[in-house]
Amino acid sequence: MALSNTKAKADRSKKARPKATPSRIQSNIESNQAIVNQAIVANTIIHVAETEELTAADLPTGEISVPLNLWLAEKDAIKARNAKIAVQIGVDEEPEDLVNDLADVDMIVLPFVSHVDGQSYSHSYKLRTRFGFKGEIRAIGDVKFDQLGFLTRVGCNAFELPETENLETALRAFQEFSEVYQPSADSGVSIFSRRRAVH
Amino acid sequence: MYQYDSVDKTIVKERVAQFRDQVNRHLNGELTAADLQPLRLRNGLYMQIHAHMLRVSIPYGLINSTQMRTLAHIARKYDKGYGHFTTRQNIQYNWPELADVPDILDELADVEMHAIQTSGNCIRNISSDQYAGVAKDEIIDPRPYCEIIRQWSTLHPEFYWLPRKFKIAVTGATEDRAAVQFHDIGLEVVHNNANDIGFRVYVGGGLGRTPVIGKVIKEFLPREDILSYCDAILRVYNLHGRRDNKYKARIKILVNAMGIDRFREEVDAEWQFQKDGDLKLHDTDFDTMAAFFPPPAYEDLSDGDERIAKWRNLDSRFNAWYDNNTVEHKQAGYRIVNISLKEHAVAPGDITDDQMDAVAEIAEQYSFGEVRSTHEQNLVLADVRQSDLLEVWKALDAQNLATANIGSVNDMICCPGLDFCSLANASSISIAKQINEKFTDFDELYDIGEVKLKMSGCMNACGHHHVGHIGVLGVDKKGEEWYQLTVGGDASNNAELGARLGPAIAKDKVGDAVSDILHVYREQREDEERLLDTFRRVGVDPFKERVYAETN
Ligand code: SF4
């Protein structure tokens, strides 16, 4: 496929997905607290980083999220844990790969290695508006106060921030804008439709 | 022009409050300089060599007198008494203090202005034809479309962290003055055979290190689909554009790598999901927007005021100004006036606070209170009665704003270069001065005629050197400033990249080289040929021979 010239992409047909790329989290992420639906809550989820050797047998006990590759390779074993199912979609992966499994998935995790890489914004948008995912979408990694507003607009409703961030302060991010111009996952209505309704 | 409603006002005010909070958190140590950087960029604030630089957005180059007075006030209160108009029709201030910037943005918001997305890897200011609405060759007024796209692209949550900056330009005239083929998305407003309005859409054009002429992705896109289609292009770019190398991150690289046909398929596939969704515009949306850009209350006048011929005869300076700096208007009895910001010995595009106030005043008195900024770093009074031309000229002349050099070799486009820009290899302002000094004889200047000289201080090409009839690029040779010349570039409909003349030239020889090029032109031109026409006929060799003659 021509796209492979421009970027390493998951090839759905051959299932030859690259593992543990620099675009994915390099080690497990674990935070004591998270912001879920604009409230601070205690958190015990471990986001398991991908390695070449990772198998379902290696997974820690308790609440976890797994890399997309592991989910696709070992769905049954992961389901057999009888725990909530949370799957990570890295910036270089595609939400399309998870579309057939959405009914099994409770949470989709979007890991940010760098917050300036905005691909996950489009992933979240598609998951909500195109694939109708209703579960939790959680952004983790390099996600701070100043990203929460727009991430919320594209459909994320949960966040884990780095330890250095003050979550109380970050809650202000949800109050910054009371108006928007364009539709996204939060509101299907553009400013032009709204003005049209008034006229 | 467009007037904010309560939604626009709220968004701009809340944006200022957000930035104020970010600056405060930074000053309190809660937000690191590294994390503040991309946030301040998206509010137009750069860190340059000496100080911060604030770039204020002028959507499609339209400003009213009140706004111009605010720009003057900001230059006076927060800067060193001047501002700099850029090639993207924006204005930059070179000396604001970080702590003052939220106040500056508040003052701008009061007059319906902002600095949102004038920098950073997001959708930038929409640029357009400086003669929109008044040009004789205009088919459709692009401004309502510009404003619709401006609103859609402002604070777009999904397209705020793109691989690289993204520029959109719109034109609606026969002659493309907005260089749409050199933008990430270029839009030409056109009619189809059924007389419906739509756009010819170009994608993947751009200057910078790898100059590329945009490719047509859609011959005719119905106007109601403009936002959903742009949205599809942006989503494909956001998902597939390269992020591993910032020099390969613009959409032009993606389009070239995929090929335009494959890229078009990808965009079309994406577009199908939302084509008939909420982004689809209705005729009433265009009517509502067009109502903000009505023709001004023109008087019923006719062309050919006899006094003009008389004034032109009496005063050779007025005559030269009339010839060079004013342009035909589509309305009888009116003329378009260009205000030259290329006065001798002043950095191209610079304007003082007093000059800005004067322009605001003149516009109010003689041009319905509106001014435009151009990508050639000048200003325009779009609607001047021909009978007022002498008064307007006198008023501008008193402010040194009537230098009769529009379109001439002295009307250079020039980036800030080494004097202000931390990326620069070489100075550009001093070269502008050097060239200016070569051409002090205005008769010679007029004899040479239209020359678009464009200069950039480094490969990023902010001065658009690739598309200059003569292009000058600053390069670094072992720590010294050298200059690479090109000839034959063209940003208009016949888009063309300039041809390299030869090896780079030493700093003190650039003026001579330009002068050599123009000598060759004057010797070789036929009939009414401009430099560009002669170049197209004779090729680069005669120019090359002359310029490098002495060094051989
Ligand atoms: S062309 Fe280079 S030197 Fe000039 S303003 Fe742009 S980045 Fe700076």
Side-chain angles (χ1 to χ4, degrees), chain A residues 79-132:
Chain A
K79 282 196 225 167
R81 291 167 49 96
N82 276 330
K84 276 192 177 172
I85 308 257
V87 181
Q88 301 158 22
I89 300 179
V91 288
D92 58 346
E93 297 176 305
E94 295 182 343
E96 280 78 358
D97 283 341
L98 200 55
V99 164
N100 297 328
D101 302 336
L102 290 179
D104 290 329
V105 174
D106 299 291
M107 176 194 298
I108 294 175
V109 175
L110 303 175
F112 282 80
V113 172
S114 163
H115 76 265
V116 303
D117 182 337
Q119 294 177 84
S120 298
Y121 288 74
S122 288
H123 291 164
S124 181
Y125 171 81
K126 280 191 191 178
L127 284 165
R128 292 291 190 214
T129 62
R130 195 162 300 168
F131 307 136

Side-chain angles (χ1 to χ4, degrees), chain B residues 113-227:
Chain B
M113 295 186 87
H114 61 72
I116 300 170
Q117 291 168 215
T118 54
S119 175
N121 296 336
C122 52
I123 305 172
R124 302 288 191 86
N125 185 23
I126 314 301
S127 60
S128 187
D129 185 348
Q130 69 265 27
Y131 300 156
V134 295
K136 208 151 191 174
D137 67 338
E138 184 163 281
I139 304 162
I140 298 159
D141 186 346
R143 294 172 298 176
Y145 304 100
C146 292
E147 180 57 30
I148 286 172
I149 297 167
R150 181 193 76 81
Q151 295 187 13
W152 161 76
S153 62
T154 299
L155 304 184
H156 197 300
E158 190 184 343
F159 306 135
Y160 198 66
W161 302 98
L162 296 170
R164 200 77 178 85
K165 58 189 169 184
F166 201 94
K167 299 177 177 180
I168 302 177
V170 191
T171 179
T174 320
E175 187 191 335
D176 173 16
R177 283 170 290 262
V180 298
Q181 296 181 57
F182 291 103
H183 282 77
D184 297 285
I185 293 179
L187 300 170
E188 218 180 305
V189 200
V190 290
H191 284 120
N192 67 1
N193 294 336
N195 217 31
D196 300 324
I197 298 175
F199 299 88
R200 176 175 299 121
V201 184
Y202 296 88
V203 72
L207 297 170
R209 293 180 177 234
T210 320
V212 179
I213 296 171
K215 296 169 185 69
V216 176
I217 182 167
K218 261 247 172 320
E219 265 304 330
F220 185 83
L221 176 74
R223 64 175 184 171
E224 59 265 31
D225 295 324
I226 183 62
L227 296 183

Side-chain angles (χ1 to χ4, degrees), chain B residues 415-418 421-426 428 456-463:
Chain B
C415 78
L418 203 53
C421 177
S422 47
L423 302 171
N425 290 323
S428 37
S456 309
C458 81
M459 280 162 80
N460 290 323
C462 303

Side-chain angles (χ1 to χ4, degrees), chain B residues 12-49:
Chain B
V12 169
K13 276 291 181 187
E14 289 178 343
R15 174 66 163 190
V16 177
Q18 180 192 43
F19 188 60
R20 189 182 292 282
D21 186 51
Q22 289 164 346
V23 170
N24 285 342
R25 279 188 280 134
H26 171 64
L27 297 174
N28 293 337
E30 296 170 52
L31 181 62
T32 65
D35 281 343
L36 177 67
Q37 190 239 23
L39 306 173
R40 67 167 159 72
L41 286 179
R42 284 161 180 72
N43 285 289
L45 192 62
Y46 283 79
M47 191 68 201
Q48 295 292 45
I49 297 177

Side-chain angles (χ1 to χ4, degrees), chain B residues 9 24 26 54 101 106 118 134 140 157 209 246 302 333 344 363 365 386 409 423 448 489 503:
Chain B
K9 282 186 187 151
N24 285 342
H26 171 64
L54 179 68
V101 172
D106 247 333
T118 54
V134 295
I140 298 159
R209 293 180 177 234
K246 81 175 221 191
S302 54
H344 213 88
Q365 220 178 329
Q386 292 173 4
V409 67
L423 302 171
I448 294 167

Side-chain angles (χ1 to χ4, degrees), chain A residues 1-3 5-7 9 91 94 115-123 125-126 130-131 142 144-147 149-151 153-154 165-166 169 172 175-184 186 188-196 199, chain B residues 2 5 7-8 10-11 14-15 18 21-22 25 30-31 35 38-39 148 150-162 227 231 235 238-243 254 257-258 262 266 270 273-274 278-282 284-285 288-289:
Chain A
M1 133 183 195
L3 278 176
N5 296 336
T6 56
K7 202 179 69 172
K9 299 277 300 179
V91 288
E94 295 182 343
H115 76 265
V116 303
D117 182 337
Q119 294 177 84
S120 298
Y121 288 74
S122 288
H123 291 164
Y125 171 81
K126 280 191 191 178
R130 195 162 300 168
F131 307 136
D142 186 28
K144 297 176 187 163
F145 180 137
D146 297 290
Q147 282 79 55
F150 284 178
L151 281 170
R153 289 218 57 206
V154 298
E165 292 293 289
N166 180 331
T169 311
R172 290 213 299 267
Q175 261 63 60
E176 287 182 327
F177 288 96
S178 56
E179 293 282 4
V180 298
Y181 281 125
Q182 56 295 92
S184 193
D186 59 339
V189 187
S190 81
I191 182 64
F192 306 105
S193 308
R194 287 168 53 203
R195 289 196 184 117
R196 207 181 299 140
H199 286 127
Chain B
Y2 184 71
D5 67 6
V7 173
D8 303 293
T10 303
I11 288 174
E14 289 178 343
R15 174 66 163 190
Q18 180 192 43
D21 186 51
Q22 289 164 346
R25 279 188 280 134
E30 296 170 52
L31 181 62
D35 281 343
L39 306 173
I148 286 172
R150 181 193 76 81
Q151 295 187 13
W152 161 76
S153 62
T154 299
L155 304 184
H156 197 300
E158 190 184 343
F159 306 135
Y160 198 66
W161 302 98
L162 296 170
L227 296 183
D231 209 70
R235 186 161 305 110
N238 189 39
L239 286 170
H240 302 301
R242 283 181 64 170
R243 285 177 155 91
L254 178 67
M258 288 175 80
R262 177 88 180 82
E266 196 81 20
E270 180 58 46
F273 287 106
Q274 60 195 45
D278 188 70
L279 282 179
K280 194 174 196 101
L281 293 160
H282 295 208
T284 50
D285 304 337
T288 310
M289 204 49 94

